[in-house]
Amino acid sequence: MRGYVLRRLLALIPTLLLIYTIVFFLMRATPGGPWDETGTRPVFPEVKANLMKKYHLTDPLWKQYVDYLAGALHGDLGPSYRQRGRTVNEIIADFFPISLRLGLAAMAVAIGCGVPLGFLAAVRQDTRVDRGLMFLAVIGISTPSFVVATVLIVVFGVYLRWVPTSGWAGLLSRQALIPVFALALWPLAAVARYARSSMLDVIRADYVRTAKAKGLRELAIVVRHAAKNALIPVVTIAGVYLAFVVTGSFYVESVTGVPGLGRYLVLSISARDYPVIMGTTLLLAIIVMVVNLIVDLSYALLDPRIRYE
Amino acid sequence: MSERISGESRARPQPQIVSPPGRRSSVSRGFWTDAWRRLVRNPLAMASLSFLSFLALLAVVAPVFLPYSHEKQDLLALYASPSAAHWLGTDHLGRDLLSRLLIGARISLTVGLVAECIIISIGTALGLVAGYSGGWVDSLIMRVVDALYAFPDLLLIIIVMSYLKAQLGGSTLGWLAPFAGMNKALGGLLGVFIALGLTSWLTTCRLVRGQVLSLREREYVEAARALGAGSGHVIRAHLLPNTLGPILVAATLGVPNAILLEASLSFIGLGVDPPMPSWGLMISEGVQAVQSYPHVILAPAIAVSLTLLAFNFLGDGLRDALDPLLKRA
Amino acid sequence: MSWRSTSVGFMVVGVVVALVIPVFATPRPVSQVNLASDQTLRMVIREPTSMDPNLAGDHSIWYVDQVFEGLYKILDDGNVRWLGAKSMEISKDGLTWTFRLNPAARWSDGKPVTASDYEWSWKRAMDPKLASDVASFYVAIKGADDYISGKLKDSSQIGIKALDAYTLQVTMAEPAPYFRAVAGLTYLYPVPRHVVEKYGDKWTEAGNIVGNGVFTMQSWKHDQEMVLVRNESYWGKRPTLQKVIFRIAPAGELCGADFRAYEANETDFAMCVPTADIDRVMRHPQMSKELTAELLSASQFLVFDTGRAPWNDARVRQAFNLAIDREKVVRALSRGLFKPTKVLVPPGIQGYDPGHALQMTAADAGRLLGEAGYAGGRGFPDFKLTAPDIRGNRTLAELLQQMWKETLGVTAQIEIMEPKAFSAWRSARKNQPFDMYTRGGWWSDYEDPTNWYNIFFVDGWLNSHWQHEQFLQLVKAAAPELNKAKRIALYDQADRILERESPTIGLWYFTDYWMRKPWLKDLQHTRILGFFWLRDAVILAH
């Protein structure tokens, strides 16, 4: 087990290098550079030359590749091109904790509500409860988060004025309600579906039938025997969504005005802010990979038949 | 692309992805026939199948009987409410929403089905191989999955789309010039397919692998292997059928998911080319006006939900029909 | 906006330019009795990319303008409001400009603002090591070009000199009177040397930053909130507002967030109304009174590649021009809040005359296209309308496509590009063919015709490949013309040619849709770049 974890952690290195390489070259292959004018800002050619020089973009490509990598290994992710005077490290330190908190809160809501609801639907298969819950789940899945967030803001912010229309004042504030819920809705619905589906599989398994035949009460069966096994696919999917929620909350962050990393990453892509794109991509990559490792380890925890050597 | 839209062809392709009909044993052929019989007996699944087929048909023949063209603007009737003239009202350019909804169905169904076929094919194949083989093959595939997966989707999609749009629609066509006509006919969707296909198979792959990891340790699989069954047989006879349920659940979520992803792309301006409508584009246009003209977003949102609901019931029906555990009972 | 102001030669005689207009107090119709006790203004803004006047070249200038001030400000009525300077003299040969600074002016830490602060700041803005894109506003000054490009290393060779603590002397490379319109811009605001040298890159953070404007920065939580408070040590009349709270919203969603916050009464002032909500606002009994469309010196237009067929035929361009129903376009895009125009340049720019527009109607469009050999659109080659995905360009493209289809029988293929990709594409059009494009319009950086005609067609920034000899001669001659009447006449003649030939098609003048709560008074708008003047604003009791 320890060897396995160590091997997986070592495997992060080539994966990260691969991602670094792909991002590095893809960024530069994309049309438009950081100082091509955007809608409002033509840039004087001499100034553009100065900027290119200042940020070492006139160096040969291999040198840029090596230099940034060397910097990154020393924990220096470079300066932001768009936000003059700010470094990627500062930007990440500012925004990542917000994204992380928001993501974790949303995931806690999604799993905390999704798993019990899914199990409930499975146990009550083909009843009104089941159909009603799955119908709601479908609505949850089929509504894009930017629509959910906008509608919630209009209803609860503009009309009812229960919560501010945008902004961020920490996780434990009224401002956080809409982003957390909007972000949680989709994974909640998906987790509920997977939980139901996987619980159905388990309920039909022989050992559960045996238990039932022995006269154990349904709830006891679910709790004692079925839940643990039914959680395996749910864990996979929850891990996937956790990464998604932490990294991909761009839409919700944009609409609700939460200053998170997802929103920042998209801004940086449209500004061709290479160091910010690279720095945040690498950070998100590490998170995703660590989450994946945890998911894989949790299989072993939940299913003794899976062994990692 | 229209024949791909029909629900009929959607119902059955899954098993054929990794298991061509000619090499199936007689036992499994009976299994598929049984499954089909069970599916037909499921009223919800059949209703969904009919709904999807009807939708596909509408999308194909819509232009024949539509009262307006989907691109006809009426600048005197911007954001008109539903009326006898415009059953669903009009959008920000005074275009008939019903016409756009039906033309949008074409685009969105095509995106959903084509992208999902690509996603499921790649994901299932690699997931099976990784989970079954273990060892370095597993490691290799999972490292690639990890690498791609750790890639923020949007970054990859934006970059791929920017590149492809330049290649496919720019003033100076690049090496993809032969596909430019096809891309134009698809309203600029080729890039969306490729971008979605490249980024979304990973989840399926991980899911399938996780399932196989658990299955391959089960007694009957170990027994089959001990009796000298080949890998191909074990995969076809034991692993694939037992994995189908989760794959189908994933796929039923996947089709509308691709439709929704296209909506998200439209939201940041990377969806279809105007004046082509897609449900995603209509939703993201509608959300801009949700406060003043809520009817604009309602129709595409309901259409997406209904379609998704139908795919779900169909998927559930298929799942029940194909579930080998049920069959053994 | 443009940052290019080269190739503008100008001869000014003038002894002491009659710019010396006394400081005038802003009319204050509101009685002081009505003022609210809490003078706090709340509004939504975008995160500034920099609060350093030497670096801020985008929307950040609006916020820089609250914390810093420059030599003077030219108001919409053409009057000069003297701020950091008291007067300005231009030598007979037009080469030496002398600014007499206001000795009362103070940095917010109490140190005086001196001529050497200006000298140091201006040289810093040009420093290749700082690599600031506002450097292009300095190119009229002697040695600036060479210093920016790195050819000149010695900054003392630049024509900027502090003669004494309160006299700043600027020497031009060649007479460039348009500098009058430039010298008061935010890009030429001074920065406090002692603070910049102390904190380096971090000098603009809250706690470090020291300005010379009417407000000072109290706090700045990046991408969340910035709070300004009244600068109690300001030399002149201090603003009535005590506090300004900027809530920072994400760029892409700014307009919606701004308006929703306003509607929910969380802010007192909104600078935007989403197009879809304009009708509702106009029908609303209260909100309709709060909405004003403030005219900007900015227009939206379409550019042809006049260097190739069929666009090299003026009749084709005229036909495409006449086929556009601007009222409808403006209604669809802004519910009529933008101002339709048939000419390119906005009012206030010499040469502007709506009478120069083509004196024909949409009915002539088909005839002209027929004369060019494409009657009913038959035989017209495939063509593409390219636009960036910003500011309603997508909708505009769809509108134009439809109008040309109906009136001319030709179908444009629309290509919407991601903004940066569009910029790269557009820059590459210098020597490459295209059909037509629209972009995010053009905002006057300063009110002078050189900012339009000369940059567009002499510098060729539009890449329209339009080489009309007579037009080019006129605008080249007009730029340095000293006689004001003669200059106007030359630009007038040039504009007449421009509109007749239609290498570009003017579509509308932009406006800022401002929403002001009834209790917010005396908040002024400037048509150059849409500045908001918080220094005079007051909050009434409510």
Side-chain angles (χ1 to χ4, degrees):
Chain A
M1 188 75 171
R2 191 178 298 161
Y4 174 79
V5 174
L6 201 67
R7 272 209 316 281
R8 284 288 298 267
L9 287 176
L10 280 177
L12 291 186
I13 295 166
T15 312
L16 277 175
L17 201 63
L18 182 66
I19 291 172
Y20 174 73
T21 311
I22 297 173
V23 175
F24 184 87
F25 289 103
L26 268 184
M27 277 186 326
R28 281 161 178 79
T30 308
W35 295 289
D36 281 326
E37 58 174 78
T38 54
T40 50
R41 306 187 59 188
V43 180
F44 202 50
E46 286 81 355
V47 171
K48 187 173 168 183
N50 288 339
L51 283 162
M52 300 281 281
K53 210 157 123 198
K54 182 183 171 89
Y55 293 108
H56 307 293
L57 290 174
T58 44
D59 289 352
L61 217 51
W62 66 266
K63 191 166 185 301
Q64 293 179 39
Y65 179 92
V66 174
D67 285 352
Y68 186 89
L69 190 60
L73 287 177
H74 289 93
D76 175 12
L77 296 170
S80 164
Y81 296 162
R82 199 174 66 86
Q83 296 280 126
R84 293 292 295 261
R86 308 241 308 142
T87 67
V88 181
N89 293 38
E90 287 166 2
I91 289 168
I92 287 177
D94 271 5
F95 302 135
F96 178 62
I98 296 177
S99 277
L100 186 68
R101 261 175 239 149
L102 181 62
L104 287 176
M107 222 38 226
V109 172
I111 294 176
C113 303
V115 170
L117 288 177
F119 284 180
L120 178 66
V123 173
R124 300 267 174 273
Q125 196 191 0
D126 290 334
T127 62
R128 246 181 247 167
V129 177
D130 180 24
R131 296 241 184 275
L133 283 175
M134 284 308 109
F135 181 77
L136 285 180
V138 170
I139 301 289
I141 293 167
S142 62
T143 317
S145 56
F146 60 88
V147 176
V148 177
T150 310
V151 170
L152 289 177
I153 289 171
V154 168
V155 174
F156 295 103
V158 178
Y159 289 123
L160 297 173
R161 300 196 186 169
W162 291 352
V163 289
T165 51
S166 75
W168 180 253
L171 193 56
L172 299 172
S173 67
R174 288 182 308 152
Q175 275 97 330
L177 287 173
I178 290 180
V180 167
F181 184 76
L183 198 54
L185 188 62
W186 191 75
L188 192 162
V191 163
R193 275 185 56 91
Y194 274 100
R196 172 181 181 273
S197 156
S198 117
M199 179 54 102
L200 281 179
D201 276 344
V202 175
I203 286 177
R204 290 168 187 158
D206 296 341
Y207 62 98
V208 176
R209 285 164 193 281
T210 315
K212 229 177 200 166
K214 281 186 193 156
L216 278 179
R217 285 184 48 225
E218 198 171 39
L219 186 66
I221 295 170
V222 169
V223 171
R224 209 175 300 163
H225 296 87
K228 207 172 128 187
N229 286 333
L231 274 176
I232 297 171
V234 176
V235 165
T236 313
I237 232 67
V240 167
Y241 292 155
L242 177 62
F244 162 82
V245 151
V246 172
T247 62
S249 48
F250 158 69
Y251 292 101
V252 169
E253 287 176 359
S254 279
V255 176
T256 58
V258 174
L261 211 52
R263 179 183 112 189
Y264 213 87
L265 179 59
V266 173
L267 274 184
S268 321
I269 293 172
S270 38
R272 307 289 190 268
D273 195 340
Y274 299 154
V276 177
I277 302 173
M278 184 60 91
T280 38
T281 307
L282 289 178
L283 173 78
L284 297 180
I286 292 173
I287 293 164
V288 171
M289 288 187 292
V290 170
V291 168
N292 283 351
L293 177 58
I294 295 171
V295 167
D296 281 356
L297 291 179
S298 61
Y299 287 152
L301 223 61
L302 291 164
D303 187 347
R305 287 168 305 195
I306 297 175
R307 295 177 299 271
Y308 294 114
E309 284 93 26
Chain B
M1 299 311 293
S2 51
E3 70 274 19
R4 288 215 172 140
I5 293 168
S6 103
E8 189 67 32
S9 67
R10 175 70 189 158
R12 304 183 68 166
Q14 299 297 351
Q16 293 168 3
I17 291 164
V18 276
S19 146
R23 296 186 57 199
R24 238 186 261 135
S25 67
S26 57
V27 177
S28 57
R29 187 170 298 138
F31 167 75
W32 296 117
T33 322
D34 289 351
W36 173 245
R37 212 170 288 143
R38 277 196 294 271
L39 183 67
V40 174
R41 279 202 301 270
N42 183 331
L44 260 179
M46 291 319 284
S48 303
L49 195 57
S50 316
F51 171 76
L52 291 173
S53 311
F54 177 65
L55 194 65
L57 189 73
L58 263 185
V60 174
V61 302
V64 181
F65 63 84
L66 279 178
Y68 305 93
S69 149
H70 65 280
E71 40 178 276
K72 169 79 185 129
Q73 300 163 3
D74 180 358
L75 298 181
L76 295 173
L78 307 177
Y79 288 126
S81 300
S83 65
H86 300 281
W87 290 2
L88 295 178
T90 63
D91 74 355
H92 63 290
L93 287 174
R95 296 176 297 201
D96 184 53
L97 279 173
L98 179 64
S99 309
R100 288 183 72 73
L101 192 72
L102 290 176
I103 299 293
R106 284 183 172 192
I107 305 283
S108 293
L109 289 177
T110 311
V111 169
L113 293 178
V114 175
E116 193 55 25
C117 280
I118 299 173
I119 291 164
I120 292 291
S121 314
I122 304 177
T124 307
L126 290 178
L128 275 173
V129 171
Y132 185 76
S133 317
W136 68 270
V137 179
D138 183 28
S139 296
L140 182 71
I141 293 176
M142 292 325 282
R143 285 306 78 69
V144 174
V145 169
D146 283 350
L148 278 177
Y149 185 58
F151 227 112
D153 281 9
L154 268 171
L155 173 64
L156 193 56
I157 290 177
I158 290 173
I159 291 173
V160 170
M161 294 286 291
S162 304
Y163 178 73
L164 287 175
K165 284 208 165 183
Q167 291 291 325
L168 289 167
S171 299
T172 45
L173 292 171
W175 61 279
L176 284 169
F179 299 101
M182 182 179 164
N183 186 50
K184 196 178 164 188
L186 287 168
L189 279 178
L190 208 54
V192 178
F193 291 154
I194 298 175
L196 292 190
L198 274 179
T199 51
S200 301
W201 58 273
L202 311 164
T203 309
T204 315
C205 181
R206 287 186 59 84
L207 182 74
V208 171
R209 174 178 169 272
Q211 200 72 12
V212 170
L213 268 187
S214 163
L215 282 171
R216 72 167 186 188
E217 306 287 335
R218 295 241 165 110
E219 296 83 351
Y220 60 89
V221 177
E222 283 185 347
R225 273 201 296 210
L227 289 171
S231 300
H233 175 78
V234 173
I235 289 181
R236 270 203 309 278
H238 300 290
L239 298 185
L240 190 56
N242 283 290
T243 321
L244 265 181
I247 295 177
L248 281 178
V249 175
T252 53
L253 287 173
V255 175
N257 205 31
I259 294 175
L260 290 173
L261 240 168
E262 195 273 326
S264 306
L265 285 181
S266 293
F267 189 65
I268 51 173
L270 287 175
V272 291
D273 291 339
M276 216 55 145
S278 73
W279 289 349
L281 183 65
M282 293 177 70
I283 287 179
S284 63
E285 283 172 354
V287 82
Q288 318 286 340
V290 74
Q291 204 176 335
S292 294
Y293 309 99
H295 72 270
V296 178
I297 199 174
L298 224 51
I302 290 174
V304 168
S305 291
L306 279 181
T307 308
L308 187 105
L309 207 59
F311 272 113
N312 275 328
F313 285 138
L314 183 61
D316 284 352
L318 277 170
R319 178 184 180 284
D320 294 344
L322 288 168
D323 197 326
L325 285 172
L326 258 187
K327 192 193 161 204
R328 275 205 303 278
Chain C
M1 299 187 194
S2 149
W3 277 230
R4 279 219 69 155
S5 316
T6 48
S7 66
V8 180
F10 221 103
M11 286 295 290
V12 168
V13 189
V15 193
V16 177
V17 170
L19 265 179
V20 195
I21 292 160
V23 182
F24 66 91
T26 315
R28 189 46 65 84
V30 179
S31 116
Q32 302 283 326
V33 187
N34 290 333
L35 292 183
S37 57
D38 180 14
Q39 289 291 323
T40 301
L41 178 93
R42 304 156 304 163
M43 61 184 284
V44 172
I45 67 164
R46 256 173 88 181
E47 168 81 0
T49 55
S50 176
M51 282 297 282
D52 184 337
N54 289 164
L55 287 170
D58 52 11
H59 62 278
S60 311
I61 58 177
W62 290 333
Y63 324 122
V64 165
D65 191 43
Q66 315 300 340
V67 180
F68 295 89
E69 71 179 19
L71 296 167
Y72 53 80
K73 192 130 191 160
I74 301 178
L75 302 174
D76 276 4
D77 56 14
N79 286 322
V80 173
R81 179 145 161 184
W82 293 98
L83 299 166
K86 291 194 303 184
S87 68
M88 172 172 78
E89 292 156 29
I90 302 173
S91 68
K92 272 183 184 163
D93 59 5
L95 288 174
T96 310
W97 296 47
T98 309
F99 298 94
R100 306 263 172 229
L101 302 190
N102 180 351
R106 291 279 177 280
W107 293 108
S108 54
D109 60 2
K111 293 205 164 56
V113 183
T114 63
S116 56
D117 279 326
Y118 279 93
E119 180 187 344
W120 188 80
S121 304
W122 289 11
K123 288 179 176 173
R124 174 174 177 262
M126 285 184 258
D127 192 338
K129 284 199 284 296
L130 188 75
S132 168
D133 59 2
V134 310
S136 45
F137 285 99
Y138 293 83
V139 292
I141 299 169
K142 183 175 146 256
D145 254 336
D146 286 344
Y147 188 65
I148 294 168
S149 62
K151 274 180 246 155
L152 175 68
K153 302 282 178 210
D154 180 7
S155 69
S156 66
Q157 302 288 309
I158 305 172
I160 305 170
K161 207 150 248 121
L163 295 184
D164 60 51
Y166 300 107
T167 312
L168 180 69
Q169 193 185 67
V170 180
T171 315
M172 300 294 159
E174 49 192 68
Y178 79 93
F179 192 69
R180 172 187 180 270
V182 170
L185 301 177
T186 57
Y187 323 107
L188 284 85
Y189 284 8
V191 298
R193 178 177 185 174
H194 56 287
V195 178
V196 178
E197 286 180 337
K198 185 170 172 197
Y199 297 107
D201 275 353
K202 299 290 165 224
W203 81 272
T204 51
E205 298 295 329
N208 302 349
I209 190 168
V210 166
N212 63 339
V214 289
F215 293 99
T216 56
M217 188 195 292
Q218 187 182 60
S219 67
W220 182 11
K221 279 163 96 181
H222 286 281
D223 276 272
Q224 295 185 44
E225 189 186 71
M226 183 190 283
V227 179
L228 306 183
V229 290
R230 181 158 69 192
N231 177 4
E232 299 295 350
S233 61
Y234 183 67
W235 63 272
K237 193 187 166 318
R238 284 180 280 282
T240 311
L241 290 180
Q242 283 162 330
K243 198 176 195 179
V244 181
I245 300 176
F246 291 137
R247 185 198 290 176
I248 302 175
E253 283 293 307
L254 180 66
C255 192
D258 193 3
F259 179 67
R260 284 193 295 262
Y262 180 87
E263 203 179 352
N265 238 342
E266 293 162 15
T267 57
D268 307 299
F269 170 44
M271 295 199 288
C272 193
V273 180
T275 313
D277 293 306
I278 297 174
D279 270 336
R280 186 166 57 86
V281 169
M282 286 172 153
R283 282 196 306 267
H284 193 279
Q286 178 55 35
M287 283 202 293
S288 58
K289 289 186 216 144
E290 298 164 16
L291 171 70
T292 53
E294 307 277 351
L295 190 67
L296 286 159
S297 181
S299 48
Q300 174 62 300
F301 49 85
L302 178 109
V303 180
F304 291 109
D305 180 357
T306 60
R308 62 192 284 249
W311 317 109
N312 53 5
D313 187 335
R315 289 168 301 188
V316 172
R317 303 195 296 264
Q318 288 164 350
F320 274 71
N321 186 344
L322 293 167
I324 299 170
D325 183 340
R326 288 162 173 83
E327 295 288 339
K328 274 190 182 170
V329 170
V330 163
R331 194 178 321 123
L333 279 160
S334 72
R335 301 299 173 271
L337 291 183
F338 289 158
K339 204 169 168 297
T341 173
K342 292 183 173 174
V343 297
L344 176 69
V345 302
I349 299 295
Q350 291 160 10
Y352 162 79
D353 183 347
H356 292 169
L358 292 179
Q359 299 300 320
M360 288 179 274
T361 64
D364 297 303
R367 180 180 56 78
L368 283 166
L369 197 66
E371 282 170 22
Y374 308 104
R378 277 185 298 281
F380 202 81
D382 281 344
F383 67 101
K384 194 179 280 179
L385 167 57
T386 309
D389 196 8
I390 45 170
R391 276 200 207 122
N393 271 271
R394 179 184 289 265
T395 312
L396 171 62
E398 289 176 81
L399 285 164
L400 294 178
Q401 183 189 46
Q402 184 73 15
M403 287 173 178
W404 289 331
K405 193 173 176 182
E406 285 171 2
T407 316
L408 302 174
V410 297
T411 304
Q413 194 192 330
I414 296 174
E415 183 176 29
I416 303 292
M417 297 174 89
E418 191 255 352
K420 279 282 183 189
F422 176 82
S423 302
W425 174 86
R426 214 192 63 83
S427 316
R429 294 310 102 186
K430 195 116 208 144
N431 312 303
Q432 288 182 44
F434 62 97
D435 291 312
M436 53 173 75
Y437 71 79
T438 64
R439 65 187 298 279
W442 180 267
W443 266 244
S444 298
D445 298 302
Y446 46 90
E447 220 158 48
D448 192 276
T450 53
N451 194 235
W452 290 77
Y453 305 102
N454 297 63
I455 287 169
F456 281 14
F457 304 105
V458 180
D459 297 354
W461 182 80
L462 285 187
N463 293 341
S464 61
H465 310 149
W466 189 56
Q467 296 293 333
H468 193 283
E469 279 308 316
Q470 198 193 348
F471 173 85
L472 291 178
Q473 274 170 15
L474 281 168
V475 294
K476 279 181 197 163
E481 178 53 59
L482 304 173
N483 182 314
K484 207 171 174 183
K486 213 168 158 192
R487 189 182 199 233
I488 293 176
L490 285 169
Y491 273 120
D492 183 82
Q493 224 180 322
D495 192 74
R496 213 179 282 274
I497 296 173
L498 177 73
E499 293 307 329
R500 192 186 66 226
E501 292 287 318
S502 293
T504 55
I505 297 179
L507 296 170
W508 68 73
Y509 300 130
F510 286 99
T511 53
D512 276 327
Y513 319 149
W514 275 14
M515 300 282 303
R516 277 171 278 197
K517 293 287 182 193
W519 53 81
L520 176 61
K521 293 286 180 209
D522 292 354
L523 178 64
Q524 284 185 52
H525 177 269
T526 64
R527 67 170 177 256
I528 298 294
L529 300 177
F531 284 94
F532 46 93
W533 260 41
L534 294 179
R535 65 163 71 209
D536 297 326
V538 296
I539 307 268
L540 302 186
H542 58 278

